[in-house]
Amino acid sequence: MKIKPGKKVLLSWMDCYVPEKDLFFLSKEHLDYELDFTDVLLMPKEEFYNHSTYRQVNYVNGYEYWNIMNVDYVIIAHKEWIETIPEDKKRFLLNAQVQSGRGLVFPVTFVHDLAEIPASYVIDGDVILQRYMWEKLNKSCKEQILTTLVYEWWDKGECEKPPESLPDFLKPYANSFASSQGANCLAAVLFAISKGKQDWFIYEWVHQKTFLEKLKQYDYEELLTDELHHGDVVLWTEENGVIQHAAYHLGEELYFNKDGQTIFNPWKILSKEQLYKEWEHLTIVKYRPCNEVF
């Protein structure tokens, strides 16, 4: 089966997908173009990546920091600033964003009504989104772009039908999209092993040490058998022990799963075949409540 984001979720995405402030990523060579930095902040990358504001999840996920390359400085600008600079400098700046590999850039083919996109924001077959431009797009255009991004760029929507035995606390989330950024796979597992008693867990961006500590608090121990029961947790780790992914076993070779921490990564019911194929290059580690470990 396939899933898609509902109207309520899409409305939330329209608001949060493009962050409030504009960021522009530049190399040292880009500074030779004599841009006017009077009305913006020009921040060295070391300060930027350690800045409490710009490490927030909306910025990290929206601009996809993990893909950015060859950057030395970041312009922090009010959303209307890009509209006040000369056209040649605007296009130069937007082209530099394509070169940097940052997010909020996608092929023009993702937009059904290209007339809605101002010509300045189309560079060599790519559309570059910035906040002010995004706000000016009509609702139907935003909805179409976001829906296309899910299926063409991020996730095909394929999943398994929830089993009849699916616990009630997972039913509102199974095969659905989050309305905000940040929820990751470790958070999904912690929510599941809490039996839904801590419903806010599922929206968190949980890191490895916090996750492993929580497994101990819920009396989970490493499992030495290959056989899995409902409620077991499966981790996929690198050679150095770093956890790359985790999922919650539902029985019947089905898993409650979330790939990634963006709004475009849904909570899904996946088969063992689907899940294990994705992470087959990593080492599997399994956990079970200690009163059931054997």
Side-chain angles (χ1 to χ4, degrees), residues 276-289:
Y276 280 51
K277 183 177 181 181
E278 176 71 20
W279 303 99
E280 62 185 357
H281 59 291
L282 298 174
T283 300
I284 292 177
V285 183
K286 303 168 184 176
Y287 282 80
R288 178 178 295 166

Side-chain angles (χ1 to χ4, degrees), residues 257-273:
N257 180 76
K258 190 177 193 297
D259 289 325
Q261 69 278 346
T262 80
I263 52 176
F264 300 127
N265 301 121
W267 295 290
K268 286 183 176 181
I269 306 300
L270 291 183
S271 68
K272 178 180 178 180
E273 182 181 4

Side-chain angles (χ1 to χ4, degrees), residues 72-284:
D72 300 294
Y73 295 93
V74 183
I75 292 175
I76 317 294
H78 187 271
K79 63 184 179 182
E80 295 181 3
W81 174 76
I82 186 69
E83 297 296 329
T84 69
I85 65 177
E87 184 67 17
D88 64 322
K89 294 188 184 298
K90 181 196 291 188
R91 291 188 65 81
F92 170 82
L93 194 56
L94 293 175
N95 186 54
Q97 304 319 292
V98 179
Q99 295 171 6
S100 75
R102 55 151 256 202
L104 304 177
V105 176
F106 50 81
V108 294
T109 54
F110 285 17
V111 185
H112 294 172
D113 186 3
L114 200 56
E116 285 290 321
I117 307 296
S120 301
Y121 294 87
V122 180
I123 307 287
D124 294 333
D126 284 313
V127 174
I128 301 92
L129 294 184
Q130 302 295 152
R131 181 69 188 196
Y132 185 77
M133 175 271 238
W134 177 251
E135 288 180 353
K136 295 300 179 183
L137 296 180
N138 65 49
K139 180 180 173 182
S140 62
C141 184
K142 292 179 186 177
E143 181 175 324
Q144 180 270 304
I145 289 171
L146 290 168
T147 303
T148 302
L149 280 169
V150 171
Y151 299 122
E152 297 295 334
W153 207 254
W154 287 93
D155 191 285
K156 302 301 181 185
E158 289 143 351
C159 56
E160 299 295 320
K161 183 179 178 181
E164 292 184 7
S165 59
L166 185 71
D168 288 342
F169 63 85
L170 288 178
K171 289 178 180 178
Y173 303 98
N175 298 338
S176 70
F177 290 86
S179 58
S180 58
Q181 301 272 22
N184 70 357
C185 64
L186 302 185
V189 169
L190 291 187
F191 170 74
I193 67 174
S194 80
K195 310 299 184 186
K197 293 177 181 177
Q198 303 297 335
D199 57 0
W200 60 277
F201 279 4
I202 201 167
Y203 299 106
E204 290 292 300
W205 187 342
V206 175
H207 291 271
Q208 174 164 328
K209 290 182 180 179
T210 302
F211 176 75
L212 291 174
E213 183 62 31
K214 207 67 188 170
L215 282 183
K216 290 180 184 177
Q217 291 171 7
Y218 279 99
D219 295 324
Y220 272 72
E221 293 184 356
E222 188 170 340
L223 185 60
L224 301 179
T225 179
D226 289 334
E227 182 184 358
L228 286 176
H229 295 172
H230 170 84
D232 290 346
V233 171
V234 180
L235 313 181
W236 285 264
T237 67
E238 296 180 343
E239 290 182 3
N240 57 7
V242 173
I243 299 171
Q244 287 298 320
H245 191 61
Y248 179 79
H249 186 239
L250 297 168
E252 303 176 45
E253 296 196 337
L254 294 174
Y255 293 80
F256 181 64
N257 180 76
K258 190 177 193 297
D259 289 325
Q261 69 278 346
T262 80
I263 52 176
F264 300 127
N265 301 121
W267 295 290
K268 286 183 176 181
I269 306 300
L270 291 183
S271 68
K272 178 180 178 180
E273 182 181 4
Q274 289 171 293
L275 188 57
Y276 280 51
K277 183 177 181 181
E278 176 71 20
W279 303 99
E280 62 185 357
H281 59 291
L282 298 174
T283 300
I284 292 177

